[in-house]
Every structure is written in C-alpha cells, then in structure tokens.
Amino acid sequence: MADIGESSGGGHKKGSKRRSKKMVARADLTPLVDLAFLLITFFIFTTTMSSPSAMKLPFPDDTAQQDEQQKVAESGVWTIIITEDNANAGKYLFYPGRLASDGSNLYSLKDPEIQNRLKEVMNLKGNPTIRDLILYGQNQAKNVNVDYVLVVKPLNESHFKDVVSILDEVLITDVAFYTLQKIQDQELVLVKQKLRQ
Amino acid sequence: MSQFKVKKKSTWVDMTAFCDVGFLLLTFFILATKFKAPEPVEIKAPGSVASASVPDDNVITILFDKEGRVFIGSDKEEIKGVMLNNVNQKYNLGLTSEEIAYCIKNVNSIGVPVSQLKTLANGGIAEKDQIGIPCDSTANELTDWLAGLFAYQGKAAQFMVKGDENAPYIVFDNIKKAFMANRLLMINLITSQEQVPVGTPLYNKQNRIEK
C-alpha cells in the first residue's frame, strides 16, 4: 500500500527496547527514476516510429518487340512536362495528344484560357492545379471511350521531388497507364520557347 | 494536538509506481527502436501518399544526394560481397579477399568510381568523402554494380532508391537506365508518407476497400 508518513514501527508493544524494529527498508528511488526517464528521452528521440513508405515504380521493358507493344489512342494521351518553377508559365507544361511542330498546343496551367476552361468544366473555385488537369483529361478520355495515358517528362534539371509529386498525383488520381520518359530535343526547344513568353 | 500531528507527516512520496511506469516506457522504446544503418550523406526523401511498406529482406539500396552522388549498399553482407566480386572481376581490379571483406564490414554504402575502389578498400577514403558512382551517359558504372543481382539465394532482390528531393532529375534518369540495362524493371522509391487528400479517386478507392 501507499507508504507515506513515518514508519509505523511503534503501534504495539509500547515501550519496547527493540529499536531495530522501527527501521524501515525503504530506498530512495529518485535517482533511478531520473535515470529511467533520461533513457526514455534518449530512445524517444532516436526512435523512428513511422518507417518510411515505398512507392512501387515499374519501368517499361524497352526490349519488347514491335508487335508486343501496347497501342494507345492518341486522343487519350496527355503529356506533362515538369520544368523549374517559372514566373510566367508555372511549374508544369502539358499537351494533349501529339505536340504540334510549332508548339501551339503546348499549354501551361497559368494560361488564362486553360484556367477558365478547367474552372468551367470542373466547377473549381480556385485556380486549377495539376490534379484538376489530370482529372479533366481522365474525364475527356472517358467521354470518347479511350484509355487515359499519362506521359511524364521532366527536364534534366527538374527537382526530384517534383517528379515524385507528379507520380504521387498519378497514384492519387488512380491513373492506370503512365510512363516516365526523358524529354526529346525538339520538345525541349519548344518548352524553352514557351517559358520565355 | 491536532496541529502537531499535521507537522509530523513526512513529505516522503512513494516512487515505486512512478518507477514502474518509467521502466515500462523505457522497455517499450528500447524494443521499438531500430537503429537505421548510417547513410554516408543526409538525404531528405520527398513526400508521397504511397503506402507500400519497405521490404526488409534481400534489400539493395541506391542512394543519391542533392549533388547527384550515387551510392549503392545492401543490408546483407553476402549481397555486398557478390557486388564487389562482380565489379572486381569485370574491371580486373585485383582486390584481395581481405580488401573485399574490409569494404563489406566498414563501408555501408559504396560510392566511388571503380578506379578508386582499391583505395577505398584500403581505407584511403572516408565513407562520407566518396565522390559517387559515375552513372552518366558516357560511363554508367552502376550498370555493372547491378549486374547479376536479380535474385540472391533464390529470393528476388528488392531494390530501393532513395533520392534527395532537390536532386536533379537527370540523376534518377541515369539510375533508371542502369536498371533497365539489367532488365530490373521494378524498384521501390523511398518516400516519406503523406495523407491521401479527401475526395480524390485514390481516397474513394481505399475507403471502398475498407467497407
């Protein structure tokens, strides 16, 4: 039981000369507790409770024969180009289908006509994000009954976290077909041109 | 009289219960702690909603930091031995078995060009001073490090790639090329976990499964 107060050596046998009975074996636990909590603090700080999670990333098998390759409808293909954050064009450029040789269908999320169209179709209140664009593309592809295919093309100097965040959007929006590709030279020229505008 | 009795009460507090709780917590944290293998460089993994758990057997880890230095390591000493032997043979480095054993024991993540591997194996380079495995388009030595690592003792090897969020993408692209050259077509990107935003297709999918 709680052991507060004086020792209760007395009580019975009043006047007994055996003083040794009054001795109580009680150790001061304070240093022990101090030490225990010091160690707890140490282990709390060194413990990583949440182990990191992993994102499974499959690579395409580029040795596949021509006839084994999967064909996709051009109308369902959207390409997102990850640039470095740019004051005029923002971080992401995109084009549906095939890129026109003059770059006329290379858009950015900051283009007013794109923003208006996305806001109108998706019923958005704020400015559209890259997620809205992917969802929009998915709806468009669904309307014409083709598979939605997302091609992600980062620039060489794009930050790795932006690449991962797009792959993340792919997970969030549940895109079934996507691929990570290196940007082609002629695309790079058009991207540079777009970023200068 | 009663005033005297109050004064006689000692201020002794029973610490036993406190101590019990303290040691209970201590035991928990000691058991829950898993010291992670020290990495030669500090790498801040990008965030993602991906929630696949990190495999913990036959793991081969590729690290790249924000300067683009690439390192390779494994939690299994035997796998490290296989990698070192492969590279040793391929480049005729003439590493002795003692040198290889030194590398296995003392270098957690290897990140030197093969030309410096001998120096590293003799303790001439500190782990954190390694300049990274060259893996650009001209010389992709990572391809040779990854060669023949499809499986170890009949169990598929698990590849984990952990990159710094500020590293340029081209580093990852080169690593990807090394994997594809070896026809290793599935990797795990290490990310720090984030919440799935409410109302998105993934969120709906996950909650439907739970129902």
Side-chain angles (χ1 to χ4, degrees):
Chain A
M1 300 295 141
D3 208 3
I4 302 173
E6 293 180 302
S7 68
S8 53
H12 51 268
K13 283 194 180 176
K14 262 190 179 173
S16 163
K17 279 177 186 171
R18 289 166 66 190
R19 296 189 66 86
S20 61
K21 262 213 153 177
K22 283 194 174 176
M23 299 278 276
V24 176
R26 202 157 50 175
D28 185 6
L29 292 177
T30 320
L32 189 65
V33 174
D34 285 353
L35 185 71
F37 276 88
L38 188 77
L39 285 170
I40 287 176
T41 321
F42 170 71
F43 280 103
I44 285 179
F45 281 117
T46 53
T47 300
T48 43
M49 276 300 180
S50 56
S51 55
S53 50
M55 179 193 275
K56 293 239 178 260
L57 184 64
F59 292 142
D61 187 357
D62 57 357
T63 55
Q65 296 296 309
Q66 197 80 33
D67 53 336
E68 288 173 6
Q69 288 176 3
Q70 198 179 359
K71 300 265 190 305
V72 294
E74 198 179 300
S75 53
V77 180
W78 288 68
T79 304
I80 294 179
I81 295 167
I82 306 168
T83 68
E84 282 185 283
D85 217 348
N86 181 285
N88 303 323
K91 204 179 270 179
Y92 306 109
L93 299 179
F94 64 95
Y95 60 86
R98 213 181 279 268
L99 183 60
S101 54
D102 58 349
S104 58
N105 62 347
L106 185 63
Y107 304 110
S108 102
L109 269 183
K110 286 197 172 174
D111 291 343
E113 65 266 38
I114 295 295
Q115 289 201 336
N116 291 335
R117 172 133 186 85
L118 283 174
K119 273 184 196 168
E120 191 189 311
V121 178
M122 309 284 295
N123 277 327
L124 301 175
K125 289 192 182 76
N127 282 340
T129 60
I130 196 73
R131 185 179 304 156
D132 299 317
L133 178 77
I134 296 174
L135 291 170
Y136 173 78
Q138 279 180 318
N139 287 339
Q140 294 284 307
K142 210 191 232 167
N143 289 345
V144 291
N145 237 335
V146 293
D147 285 327
Y148 178 75
V149 180
L150 186 67
V151 182
V152 182
K153 292 189 177 177
L155 301 189
N156 287 352
E157 59 273 15
S158 305
H159 288 302
F160 183 59
K161 72 171 171 220
D162 296 333
V163 181
V164 172
S165 79
I166 286 289
L167 294 176
D168 209 27
E169 293 297 333
V170 166
L171 285 179
I172 290 173
T173 52
D174 206 16
V175 174
F177 304 104
Y178 64 96
T179 172
L180 191 61
Q181 279 183 10
K182 210 174 170 200
I183 198 158
Q184 287 159 356
D185 289 343
Q186 63 261 47
E187 286 174 329
L188 196 57
V189 174
L190 295 172
V191 167
K192 291 261 161 73
Q193 187 189 329
K194 174 83 182 168
L195 291 180
R196 269 199 300 272
Q197 275 171 16
Chain B
M1 279 297 274
S2 60
Q3 282 173 345
F4 273 95
K5 269 185 184 169
V6 170
K7 271 190 180 171
K8 271 188 179 174
K9 273 189 180 166
S10 116
T11 52
W12 181 273
V13 179
D14 185 15
M15 298 287 262
T16 322
F18 193 42
C19 192
D20 285 351
V21 176
F23 274 94
L24 191 74
L25 283 171
L26 182 59
T27 319
F28 172 73
F29 280 105
I30 287 177
L31 294 179
T33 300
K34 192 177 162 192
F35 289 97
K36 63 173 183 186
E39 288 169 356
V41 282
E42 198 187 328
I43 289 171
K44 190 168 182 294
S48 132
V49 299
S51 55
S53 58
V54 175
D56 52 7
D57 198 23
N58 275 4
V59 172
I60 294 160
T61 315
I62 315 264
L63 307 169
F64 60 98
D65 71 350
K66 63 173 180 285
E67 280 124 50
R69 294 187 293 171
V70 178
F71 302 84
I72 190 168
S74 174
D75 63 336
K76 261 215 171 93
E77 296 192 341
E78 294 89 340
I79 294 181
K80 261 159 103 179
V82 172
M83 289 193 294
L84 284 161
N85 278 319
N86 283 348
V87 173
N88 187 21
Q89 276 173 19
K90 164 112 188 173
Y91 288 90
N92 271 325
L93 295 174
L95 295 179
T96 61
S97 52
E98 290 84 48
E99 285 171 332
I100 288 178
Y102 175 87
C103 259
I104 293 172
K105 275 266 172 291
N106 297 306
V107 188
N108 283 307
S109 301
I110 300 160
V112 286
V114 280
S115 54
Q116 295 180 12
L117 197 55
K118 186 108 182 159
T119 325
L120 181 77
N122 286 312
I125 303 172
E127 197 177 347
K128 63 174 175 29
D129 296 333
Q130 301 179 96
I131 60 167
I133 297 171
C135 61
D136 51 21
S137 47
T138 49
N140 201 330
E141 287 179 7
L142 190 64
T143 313
D144 302 316
W145 282 100
L146 290 172
L149 290 181
F150 184 72
Y152 178 75
Q153 289 183 343
K155 274 165 85 185
Q158 305 282 346
F159 295 95
M160 309 223 273
V161 176
K162 186 177 180 190
D164 192 276
E165 56 177 23
N166 288 320
Y169 169 73
I170 185 70
V171 182
F172 180 72
D173 197 72
N174 290 329
I175 293 171
K176 181 184 161 197
K177 278 197 194 115
F179 274 105
M180 285 171 70
N182 285 303
R183 291 180 56 78
L184 301 166
L185 299 177
M186 177 62 93
I187 61 158
N188 297 285
L189 280 184
I190 306 260
T191 52
S192 55
Q193 183 141 27
E194 284 175 1
Q195 288 289 316
V196 180
V198 179
T200 55
L202 179 66
Y203 181 85
N204 296 340
K205 195 180 172 188
Q206 284 181 345
N207 287 318
R208 228 172 286 146
I209 291 165
E210 279 162 20
K211 274 176 202 165

